[in-house]
Every structure is written in C-alpha cells, then in structure tokens.
C-alpha cells in the first residue's frame, strides 16, 4: 500500500491559541481515513491546513505534509492552486451555502475542470453530466442550467461531490459532509463515498464527530483531542483495542446494540475540551481522564500498541506495553 | 418575474399619483396664487382678473382634475414667467440634468467601487482605515461647500475650468464631481461590506478549494454577489442625484431642471414648480422600480418569484 497523504507533526495556531498541536496521520490510496473528535478539537482546521486554505490569521507549521510523495509544505501559493481542486479536492459541511448562488450548477462544475485542464465547454459539460449521473443526480442535463437555490441540500451535496471529482483527484477531503443532511440522505451519501473509493481508488479523508459513521465506513481512524491526534490505527484494531482513555470514553458514549443492556446508562465523558495556549505541557486530557496520575503533567510519549496502531498516553509505559 | 414587475409598477404608479396630489396641494398651500401672481401693489380688480384668467376661481377639485388630466398627456400648461409651454421648458433643461446625473453617477462608481473593493481586500489594515476616513470626510462635506472650494481652486486660482454656465463639457466637470461626492460614501461602504461578506462566505471557500485564481475568486465569484446591492442602490442614487441636483445646478448656474426649479420657485411660477416636482419625483420613483427589477434580475433567487 502507498500513502497518498502523510502528515507529520502538524501545528496550527491562531495568535496564542493552538488549534492543532501535534497531528500526525497517514491516508493510504483507496482507503477511507476518518478523523474523529469532539467539536472544537481542530478537525476542520487540520483539513484546511492540508489544503492550505487557512484564514489569514492562522500560522501553519509541520515537519512535513507529503502528498503523493511530494512535500507540499514548501509549495508556493501558485503551486498549491494547481493541486487544489485538481489532485486534491474538498467538500464541506454546509451544502446549502457552499455553492455560489449567482452561477448555475453547470458553470460551477465545468469551471474547475477548465481551470486545471485544457478542454472545451462541451466536453466539460459531458463530464459533468456523467459524474452527476454517477453520484445519483437525476436529469443531469436539466440540472446544469439550474441555480443552487433550486436544489435540495442532499442534491447540493451530491453536486459538491461530483464537482470535487471533475478533475479525477487522488485525495478527497470531506469535512462532515453529512452532518447537515437528514439520516436517509446521510446514509446514501456515505454509501456513495464508499463506492467511489472502490471505483476510483480514491483516498478519502473523512472528518466526522460520529463514531457510528467511523465504524461503518472507515478503514483507518485518527482520534483527535484538543488539537492532537491521540490515537490512530486500523478501524478494527482501534475498536477492538481502544488504548487511549479518551478513545475508550468515546466508544462508551456510542450505544452499541447487544452490548448495552436495557436500562443501563450510556457512558459520557464529563468536562469539556480545554483551549490550548502557549506553554501548556503534559496530557491535555488529564483534567477529564479517570486514569490520570502525576506523570501525566509531563510530555506524553507515543507508543505502538499494535501494527500501525499508535497511541499518545502514559498508560502503556506505566503498564509495560499494550494492555 | 412578470407578476413581480407588474406589482412593483402598480405600486410605483400609485406613488406617482400621490406625488401629483401633493405637488398640487403644496403649491396651493403657499398662499393665494392669484395674489402672488399679481404681485405687490396690484389692485383687488387685477387679482380678480388674474384669478379668472388662470381659472383659479373654479373649485379646487375641478382644477386638480383638469391639471391631472392634462399632465397625464404631457401638457403642464404655460409658464407665467417664461411665456412658453412648461413641457418645452422641462424638455430643454432635461438633457443638462441627465448629463449631470449620469456623469455624476459614473464618477461616483469609478471612485467608490475600487475603493470599496480595496478596503474589503485589506480589511482592518491601514488601507481600510484610510478609505473609511476618506469616506467619512466626504460624507461630512456639504456639497455646496465642496462646489465653492472647487470653484475657487480650479476655476478662479488655476483657471482650468469654467465656474458657471452650460456651454461646453468642461462646464460639467466640477458639478459632476460634486454630485458624485454625494453618492460616494454610501456606495463605497456598501461595496466594502458586500465584498467582505462575500469573501468570507462558504462559496468563496469552495472556489478556493477548486484552485481558482485570486482574480477569478475576487472578480467573478465575490464581486458578482457583492455587486447586487450596489447596482440597485446605484439606481436609487441616480434618482437622488437627478432630484438633488437643484443645489449643485444653482451653485454652478448649470441650466438644468434643478436650476429651473429654483428659478420658478423664486418667481412664483407655480405651473413650472408643480411640473418639475412631478417629473423629478416620477424619475426617482421610476429608478427605484428599475432598482427593484435589476435586483431581481441579478439575483437568481429572486428571478423565479
Ligand atoms: N479563523 C479562526 N480564528 C481563530 N480561531 C479559530 C479559527 N478557526 C478555528 N479556530 C479555533 O480552532 C479550534 C478548532 O476549530 P475547528 O473548526 O477545527 O474545530 P472542529 O474540530 O472542526 O469542530 P466542529 O466539530 O465544531 O466542526 C477552535 O477552538 C476554534 O476556536
Ligand atoms: S496521559 Fe495520563 S491523563 Fe493523559 S490520557 Fe493517558 S493516562 Fe490519561
Ligand atoms: Mg469542523
């Protein structure tokens, strides 16, 4: 297997606030890699940092961000423009507002192909129609001439997906693409993404706060907490052997049929995610961690608890390896 | 869309009718017209003759409907002072006012659109603050005062431009600039805020995620949306400018409709006053209608309504 995206020690700050501190993870070709975590833990900022789309007041730092083997950290704005929308595409949480209200669907879809590839309007429209069909949009010919406000949220998200595929990207970053949609549409969109991954050999970085989605679609998971990736591994390993107290807490929050006895309370993690400022050291989870101890105020080591299964916590060293 | 335009046009028409009634009533509120036409030192008999000659002895409602009926056919009667048809007078003066208004609007747009965009692209930097400062100064400056300053500097001291009259295009330069200044603050602010809102929107994030160039993002995607309110306000501003040119035409003795209004008010030439008020108001109302239609045409979300 080859990595399409390899992020090493990504850090993003907004002034004194550290939105992302120490994020490392790898997305393989033809795989769905989920980033999961509570609201505000830095998932969107991580995605935007990879695309180099952060707000002007953000500062991005990393050891490396390798895309298809190239370190895009050093890319100029112009070089990055050529990659975005072309080899690396992104869809967003807000399908209702992510399309320009003043231009037709056709104009917005063909624009991205014509920006990156030398092609005629007709050919671009043909491709748009084909992709719209592929993502389950009926009457694509008619949709080309329609404006976003004439489409439902689910359709708009499908348009966003089709548009993201126009240039046949190698990596698709999807930031909570189904959060704003109702449950049935959500399931359809997730199934579609899974099929596309198979068909096109696409690497997908899927951001979500929903462990249920992770369990359904992810090959790999990275759990984020307060700007850090605190555990990453294959989905099966991570669910079978959650090694970070936070991951375990998250999994306990999800009602699993058969595992929960009727009447038994669901687990929940008391407290909230702290905002990280300069000068913080030790484990950010220690204020909520049931297993916290003295040593947790010190720099936290990263352990390999299984093949490709990394966890950032003092526990494994205290207990002498995997538990 | 046609229904939308029809409804708006009906509304505009009813406003015009109201303005007609107001124009009629207000000129009559200023006193007994027969007495003011006759002038000081005239005898009671003179006044009675005038009252009869101008039909002012008839019931007010009859006068109103008479005037309305003729006005709707474009006949505003004769001027007392100029010994000419009012419609001719207005027809002769209109091109001057229109030239001034359109030039003023063009100058205003040429100044305010780039300033607004520049400020938005550099939000909260010294450039943005400088633009805000200029806009504030512009707003605080009364137009007659700016007109006088320009006259003194460019007309009298430098001698580059004529200070009064209507003879050549040079006569329009200073009045158009002064008139433009009345619209620049509002247009600049609107352009700036519209642009800032557009640039911060989700669809701009999408455009950036598509790898579009900076100029395409700014001028195609953001400007198109930010310009919708600016275009419709520009139409309304043009109405203001045409109506509000009274002060500027008077300062620069530019013989447009505004100047005509001023002349006829000071001479109690009430058929002219009534007609000018009605015509300027109708233009203003018409442009507001145009503004609504433009707004709907530019915004696809309104087009279907
Ligand atoms: N433009 C910005 N300026 C300042 N702080 C920001 C900015 N964008 C994000 N942040 C901060 O970065 C942190 C992470 O935000 P982010 O949007 O990545 O969260 P998230 O994990 O995507 O949450 P959610 O699930 O709510 O989308 C937050 O604490 C937020 O306050
Ligand atoms: S490092 Fe300590 S506080 Fe942090 S998760 Fe591990 S045990 Fe808990
Ligand atoms: Mg987010």
């Amino acid at each position: 297997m080859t990595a399409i995206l390899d992020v090493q020690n990504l850090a993003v700050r907004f002034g004194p606030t550290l939105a992302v501190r120490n994020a490392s993870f790898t997305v393989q070709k033809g795989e769905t890699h989920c980033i999961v975590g509570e609201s505000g833990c830095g998932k969107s900022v991580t995605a935007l940092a990879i695309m180099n789309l952060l707000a002007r007041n953000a500062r991005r730092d990393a050891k490396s961000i390798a895309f298809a083997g190239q370190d895009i950290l050093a890319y100029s704005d112009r070089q990055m423009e050529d990659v975005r929308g072309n080899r690396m595409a992104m869809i967003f949480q807000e399908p209702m507002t992510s399309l320009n209200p003043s231009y037709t669907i056709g104009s917005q879809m063909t624009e991205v192909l014509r920006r990156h590839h030398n092609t005629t309007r007709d050919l671009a429209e043909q491709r748009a129609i084909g992709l719209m069909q592929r993502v389950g949009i009926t009457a694509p010919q008619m949709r080309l001439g329609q404006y976003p406000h004439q489409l439902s949220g689910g359709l708009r998200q499908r348009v966003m997906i089709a548009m993201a595929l126009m240039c046949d990207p190698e990596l698709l970053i999807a930031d909570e693409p189904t959060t704003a949609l109702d449950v049935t549409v959500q399931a359809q969109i997730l199934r579609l993404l899974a099929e596309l991954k198979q068909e096109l050999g696409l690497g997908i970085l899927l951001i979500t706060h929903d462990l249920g989605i992770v369990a359904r679609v992810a090959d790999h998971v990275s759990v984020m907490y307060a700007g850090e990736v605190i555990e990453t591994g294959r989905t099966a390993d991570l669910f079978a052997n959650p090694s970070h107290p936070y991951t375990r807490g998250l999994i306990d929050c999800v009602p699993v049929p058969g595992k929960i006895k009727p009447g038994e309370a669901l687990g929940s993690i008391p407290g909230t995610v702290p905002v990280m400022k300069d000068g913080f050291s030790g484990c950010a989870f220690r204020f909520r961690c049931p297993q916290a101890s003295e040593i947790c105020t010190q720099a936290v080591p990263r352990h390999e608890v299984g093949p490709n299964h990394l966890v950032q916590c003092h526990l494994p060293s205290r207990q002498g390896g995997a538990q | 869309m046609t229904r939308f335009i029809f409804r708006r046009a009906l509304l505009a028409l009813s406003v015009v009718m109201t303005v007609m009634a107001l124009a009629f009533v207000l000129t009559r509120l200023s006193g007994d017209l027969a007495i003011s036409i006759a002038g000081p030192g005239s005898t009671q008999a003179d006044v009675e003759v005038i009252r009869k000659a101008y039909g002012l002895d008839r019931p007010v409602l009859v006068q109103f409907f008479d005037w309305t009926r003729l006005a709707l056919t474009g006949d505003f009667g004769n001027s007392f002072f100029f010994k000419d048809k009012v419609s001719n007078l207005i027809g002769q003066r209109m091109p001057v006012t229109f030239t001034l208004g359109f030039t003023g609007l063009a100058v205003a747009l040429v100044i305010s659109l780039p300033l607004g965009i520049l400020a938005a692209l550099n939000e909260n930097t010294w450039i943005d603050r400088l633009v805000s400062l200029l806009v504030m100064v512009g707003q605080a400056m009364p137009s007659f005062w700016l007109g006088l300053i320009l006259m003194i500097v460019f007309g009298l001291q430098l001698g580059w431009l004529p200070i009064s009259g209507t003879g050549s295009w040079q006569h329009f330069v200073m009045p158009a600039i002064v008139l433009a200044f009345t619209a620049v603050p509002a247009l600049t602010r609107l352009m700036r805020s519209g642009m800032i809102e557009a640039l911060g929107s989700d669809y701009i994030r999408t455009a950036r995620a598509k790898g579009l160039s900076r100029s395409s993002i700014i001028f195609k995607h953001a400007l198109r949306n930010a310009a919708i309110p600016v275009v419709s306000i520009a139409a309304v501003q043009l109405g203001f400018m045409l109506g509000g040119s009274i002060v500027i035409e008077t300062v620069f003795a530019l013989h447009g409709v505004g100047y005509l209004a001023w002349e006829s008010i000071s001479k109690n030439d009430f058929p002219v006053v009534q007609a000018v008020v009605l015509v300027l108001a109708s233009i203003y109302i018409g442009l507001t209608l145009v503004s609504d239609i433009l707004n709907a045409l530019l915004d696809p979300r309104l087009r279907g309504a």
Side-chain angles (χ1 to χ4, degrees):
Chain A
M1 237 188 288
T2 42
I4 185 66
L5 180 72
D6 182 54
V7 177
Q8 289 302 324
N9 301 348
L10 175 68
V12 179
R13 54 164 68 235
F14 296 95
T17 307
L18 300 159
V20 176
R21 295 185 296 149
N22 185 17
S24 302
F25 56 90
T26 309
V27 183
Q28 306 291 342
K29 260 187 191 138
E31 260 198 11
T32 300
H33 189 118
C34 274
I35 295 185
V36 65
E38 282 167 282
S39 187
C41 71
K43 304 182 297 291
S44 296
V45 169
T46 301
L48 294 172
I50 294 165
M51 295 284 282
N52 199 9
L53 285 179
L54 288 165
R56 239 189 313 189
N57 60 339
R59 273 189 55 84
R60 179 181 76 164
D61 242 309
K63 204 167 120 203
S64 73
I65 302 178
F67 173 64
Q70 296 268 323
D71 191 359
I72 55 172
L73 201 58
Y75 272 21
S76 68
D77 286 351
R78 181 60 62 84
Q79 280 174 305
M80 213 41 221
E81 269 174 21
D82 287 338
V83 172
R84 277 202 297 267
N86 186 14
R87 302 177 56 200
M88 185 193 277
M90 183 160 177
I91 57 177
F92 302 94
Q93 182 175 344
E94 304 84 5
M96 301 310 280
T97 50
S98 290
L99 290 161
N100 192 327
S102 289
Y103 292 97
T104 60
I105 302 300
S107 146
Q108 296 185 60
M109 285 191 69
T110 52
E111 175 185 45
V112 64
L113 186 63
R114 302 189 67 194
R115 154 71 179 88
H116 294 290
H117 298 274
N118 222 339
T119 175
T120 64
R121 172 186 289 271
D122 272 357
L123 285 175
E125 284 189 354
Q126 287 314 310
R127 177 152 177 82
I129 289 173
L131 281 169
M132 279 199 268
Q133 248 154 6
R134 178 59 200 92
V135 300
I137 298 175
T138 51
Q141 182 78 51
M142 176 191 83
R143 305 286 180 204
L144 282 184
Q146 286 188 317
Y147 287 90
H149 74 274
Q150 295 168 291
L151 274 56
S152 68
L155 268 183
R156 286 190 220 184
Q157 195 62 290
R158 284 174 201 268
V159 167
M160 286 296 291
I161 295 172
M163 189 160 79
L165 297 175
M166 281 297 278
C167 294
D168 208 357
E170 294 148 73
L171 177 70
L172 177 67
I173 300 177
D175 188 358
E176 311 213 25
T178 59
T179 307
L181 305 174
D182 66 53
V183 185
T184 41
V185 182
Q186 198 170 339
Q188 290 165 3
I189 298 275
L190 289 173
R191 199 172 319 127
L192 173 67
L193 287 176
E195 289 166 12
L196 291 170
K197 174 191 76 173
Q198 289 280 318
E199 262 173 50
L200 308 172
L202 201 62
I204 298 180
L205 182 63
L206 180 68
I207 291 168
T208 177
H209 58 252
D210 184 345
L211 267 188
I213 290 180
V214 175
R216 264 187 292 165
V217 303
D219 301 297
H220 241 95
V221 199
S222 292
V223 182
M224 281 188 82
Y225 186 81
E228 284 183 305
V229 172
I230 48 96
E231 184 163 3
T232 179
R234 299 201 60 79
T235 311
D237 299 341
L238 197 118
F239 275 85
N241 181 24
S243 303
H244 195 283
Y246 179 65
T247 314
R248 260 176 273 161
L250 277 186
I251 292 175
D252 286 344
C253 290
V254 184
V256 181
K259 205 171 155 192
I260 302 245
K261 295 178 191 72
E264 189 182 344
L266 296 179
S268 74
I269 309 172
T272 50
V273 186
V275 175
M276 292 292 113
K277 300 277 180 192
D278 282 327
F280 185 88
S281 69
C283 175
F285 188 57
R286 65 176 183 264
F287 316 102
R288 300 165 81 185
C289 179
Q291 275 126 313
S293 65
E294 275 302 293
I295 195 173
C296 300
T297 55
Q298 293 172 22
V300 192
R302 202 177 290 172
H303 297 277
E304 186 150 9
V305 289
N308 288 325
H309 188 174
L310 298 174
V311 61
Q312 186 165 307
C313 173
H314 282 291
L315 273 186
S317 38
R318 271 158 58 188
Q319 300 169 349
Q323 30 180 334
Chain B
M1 188 67 197
T2 21
R3 270 198 50 187
F4 167 81
I5 292 175
F6 183 74
R7 275 209 315 269
R8 289 298 157 102
L10 220 57
L11 190 68
L13 197 68
S14 59
V15 179
V16 171
M17 301 303 269
T18 314
V19 170
M20 284 184 95
L22 278 175
F24 185 84
V25 168
L26 286 178
T27 42
R28 250 138 271 253
L29 279 183
S30 55
D32 188 331
L33 287 170
I35 293 177
S36 40
I37 296 166
S42 49
T43 65
Q44 183 66 28
D46 294 339
V47 173
E48 284 314 316
V49 170
I50 286 175
R51 199 185 300 281
K52 242 199 161 53
Y54 289 108
L56 294 171
D57 53 343
R58 297 170 305 160
V60 174
L61 271 182
V62 173
Q63 290 181 45
F64 177 65
F65 284 117
D66 221 36
W67 177 67
T68 310
R69 189 170 46 78
L70 290 171
L72 288 178
T73 66
D75 181 358
F76 294 105
N78 291 319
S79 159
F80 299 155
F81 179 76
F82 291 101
K83 309 298 172 211
D84 195 356
K85 283 175 87 82
V86 176
S87 48
N88 288 347
L89 286 172
I90 293 181
Q92 284 158 13
R93 308 295 187 95
M94 215 40 159
V96 173
T97 298
F98 270 119
T99 310
L100 178 62
F102 278 103
T103 321
L105 180 66
V107 173
L109 289 174
V110 164
I111 295 173
S112 53
L113 297 195
L115 269 188
I117 295 173
L118 189 71
L121 290 178
N122 296 285
E123 193 189 352
N124 293 329
T125 66
W126 65 269
I127 296 175
D128 186 20
R129 276 186 277 273
L130 185 68
V131 170
S132 303
L133 189 71
L134 289 176
V135 163
M136 250 160 58
V137 170
Q139 191 151 43
M141 212 159 28
S143 50
F144 71 86
W145 184 80
L146 176 65
L148 292 177
I149 296 288
L150 288 182
M151 271 179 170
I152 291 169
V153 175
F154 295 100
L156 299 178
Q157 289 179 352
L158 297 170
W160 289 354
L161 293 163
I163 56 170
S164 79
T166 319
S168 66
W169 66 265
Q170 284 97 332
H171 285 95
F172 285 89
V173 175
M174 287 198 285
I177 290 174
V178 175
L179 195 56
F181 256 80
T182 60
V184 162
L187 289 175
T188 306
R189 253 200 290 268
L190 205 62
M191 187 74 246
R192 175 184 177 274
S193 61
M195 206 60 190
I196 287 175
E197 196 195 317
L199 286 171
S201 67
D202 289 344
Y203 59 80
I204 290 301
R205 188 184 57 188
T206 306
R208 298 212 296 145
K210 283 155 82 175
L212 303 182
S213 66
R214 197 171 145 75
S215 63
S216 164
I217 288 168
I218 295 169
F219 294 109
K220 182 176 174 194
H221 286 272
L223 189 58
R224 173 64 194 264
N225 290 286
I228 293 174
V230 178
V231 169
S232 46
I233 291 303
V236 175
Q237 288 283 347
L238 181 62
F240 269 133
M241 289 169 141
L242 292 173
S245 59
I246 295 185
V247 175
I248 289 157
E249 287 183 8
T250 309
V251 169
F252 287 95
L254 206 57
H255 289 259
V257 176
Y259 193 73
L260 180 66
W262 179 74
E263 280 176 307
S264 43
I265 288 168
S266 55
K267 297 194 168 80
N268 272 320
D269 198 348
F270 80 88
V272 180
V273 178
Q274 263 173 212
V276 168
V277 169
L278 179 60
V279 167
L280 288 181
S282 302
I283 292 174
Y284 180 72
I285 293 161
L287 284 169
T288 312
L289 176 66
V290 167
S291 150
D292 283 346
I293 295 173
L294 273 179
N295 206 14
L297 282 178
L298 287 174
D299 188 340
R301 281 164 298 187
L302 295 182
R303 221 175 288 159

